[in-house]
Amino acid sequence: MRVGSMFAGIGGICLSFKAAGAEIVWANDIDRFACATYRHNFGSDYLIEGDIRNVDLAKIPDIDVLTAGFPCQSFSVMGNQKGFADPRGTMYFEILRVIDIKRPQIVFLENVKNLVQHDNGRTFQIIYATLAERGYGVKYSVLGANTHANIPQYRDRIFIVAFLDYDKLERFHFPDEIPLTKSINDLIDREMPEEQSYYYGIGSKYYQNLNKNMTDDTAIYRIDDSGVAMRAWHICPTLKANMGTYHDRVPLIRDLYGIRKLTPNDCLALQGFPKGYSFPDIPLNEVYKQLGNTVCVPVVERIAGKLKNVLFVCVLR
């Protein structure tokens, strides 16, 4: 599979497709810090940094699959939900521009699960209809990190696949659920001390409440808009992009050395990234933002494997 990736971010979707045997031949993102992380891990041969509206689409190589984890903030229940009235929401129509020029066999889209319900379903109807108008058959499903990837994080996302070939569409099925056998403590080492900057000290305005409420040293906690949350999570709450905007929104654990935030490496593990993936020298808030914006890699890898099998079987036939 030759894959082109829109809104590539730090490459979570690209990693997933590469693991399934695909070749990434083109990628684009506008965020300079995300592009720095992408280059740090993938190189820079095919990455185009900049606003997709200013990219010469005719120069995109021929591709079998177009992937796009398009901006989700305008559709999320955590955002303003302005949808296509939000400039970020209109980025979906840039996907259609690329489709019109490149005509990939398969389109793969990822977004928040609320996309289906947004604006009483009208937003999703537009997406479905505009793909159908271009000759694509569409399937979609909501898959979770904890239900489909054996990753202990609550992260449900909608995945949309569209095929030009309806025979391929009929042969494609989303992955089934699998048991969750991993715990938070399989991915996070509470016995290893981290840099002191990740710990909440006595001088923090949250420390007293955190120290009082965080009684379970096998769980994850978090601070929300109302203050220190009382709930102990035994599956990690959704890692959000606002971890980069509000430094106290990073989930917390109690380890042998105190109360601390999840580190970037903890978050990478909870998104299913492979060991060895790392960040360049960029601001920590940008790192956390990127970690909240990316995908759970094993979920996408399972879908990509199914897509590859459909293409492979149909080619053999």
Side-chain angles (χ1 to χ4, degrees):
M1 294 187 292
R2 288 169 56 86
V3 174
S5 178
M6 298 179 68
F7 315 107
I10 63 173
I13 291 176
C14 293
L15 273 175
S16 305
F17 274 81
K18 283 188 71 173
E23 177 188 7
I24 314 301
V25 298
W26 178 85
N28 167 253
D29 202 277
I30 192 174
D31 187 292
R32 66 186 179 97
F33 292 112
C35 287
T37 300
Y38 193 103
R39 292 191 193 97
H40 182 70
N41 290 278
F42 293 86
S44 58
D45 291 346
Y46 56 80
L47 176 67
I48 305 299
E49 179 179 340
D51 191 328
I52 186 63
R53 292 169 292 189
N54 300 326
V55 172
D56 185 352
L57 303 186
K59 292 184 178 179
I60 299 175
D62 290 339
I63 53 176
D64 301 305
V65 183
L66 176 67
T67 70
F70 59 108
C72 65
Q73 293 88 344
S74 55
F75 308 111
S76 172
V77 293
M78 300 302 295
N80 56 32
Q81 296 201 61
K82 289 184 178 180
F84 293 139
D86 186 320
R88 294 169 297 186
T90 62
M91 289 297 101
Y92 169 71
F93 299 103
E94 297 303 312
I95 299 171
L96 296 180
R97 286 208 307 130
V98 176
I99 290 173
D100 288 340
I101 291 175
K102 301 310 302 181
R103 301 297 290 170
Q105 293 185 55
I106 298 173
V107 177
F108 170 91
L109 306 177
E110 178 268 349
N111 211 282
V112 292
K113 69 175 181 178
N114 189 58
L115 185 70
V116 177
Q117 286 83 31
H118 182 265
D119 195 17
N120 294 316
R122 285 187 284 270
T123 296
F124 188 76
Q125 289 173 6
I126 290 172
I127 292 173
Y128 196 104
T130 51
L131 290 170
E133 288 167 359
R134 286 161 172 80
Y136 287 86
V138 179
K139 286 185 178 181
Y140 64 94
S141 186
V142 173
L143 281 66
N146 64 310
T147 54
H148 291 81
N150 196 21
I151 296 289
Q153 182 195 168
Y154 287 116
R155 192 177 194 84
D156 291 340
R157 291 293 185 268
I158 186 170
F159 297 94
I160 303 168
V161 294
F163 292 80
L164 273 179
D165 186 323
Y166 277 74
D167 182 53
K168 294 184 177 71
L169 175 71
E170 289 301 314
R171 293 177 183 278
F172 173 81
H173 300 283
F174 282 99
D176 294 329
E177 291 190 11
I178 57 176
L180 178 64
T181 61
K182 292 180 181 176
S183 71
I184 293 167
N185 294 316
D186 289 323
L187 302 180
I188 296 175
D189 188 351
R190 298 180 193 251
E191 298 182 358
M192 179 69 67
E194 297 293 344
E195 293 181 17
Q196 195 58 41
S197 59
Y198 293 113
Y199 289 87
Y200 281 77
I202 295 177
S204 167
K205 65 178 181 180
Y206 295 112
Y207 180 80
Q208 294 300 328
N209 281 336
L210 289 173
N211 194 44
K212 176 183 176 181
N213 293 336
M214 293 179 64
T215 57
D216 187 341
D217 59 7
T218 67
I220 285 182
Y221 293 78
R222 70 177 178 182
I223 298 169
D224 57 28
D225 292 341
S226 60
V228 177
M230 298 290 289
R231 178 178 176 182
W233 298 75
H234 290 277
I235 295 177
C236 182
T238 303
L239 299 175
K240 301 175 183 176
N242 71 359
M243 295 190 302
T245 306
Y246 307 100
H247 69 279
D248 288 318
R249 292 303 188 266
V250 182
L252 312 168
I253 64 167
R254 185 186 287 275
D255 68 13
L256 294 181
Y257 307 92
I259 295 168
R260 69 167 175 86
K261 302 172 186 176
L262 297 184
T263 67
N265 283 336
D266 293 333
C267 295
L268 283 172
L270 287 163
Q271 293 284 38
F273 275 68
K275 291 183 178 179
Y277 190 94
S278 61
F279 293 93
D281 185 15
I282 60 175
L284 184 60
N285 67 304
E286 293 291 337
V287 171
Y288 279 122
K289 174 185 172 184
Q290 293 170 9
L291 286 162
N293 269 332
T294 193
V295 297
C296 180
V297 170
V299 175
V300 181
E301 183 180 338
R302 292 187 69 203
I303 300 172
K306 294 273 190 178
L307 294 173
K308 179 185 177 183
N309 288 341
V310 167
L311 285 176
F312 182 65
V313 168
C314 288
V315 167
L316 286 181
R317 288 173 178 271

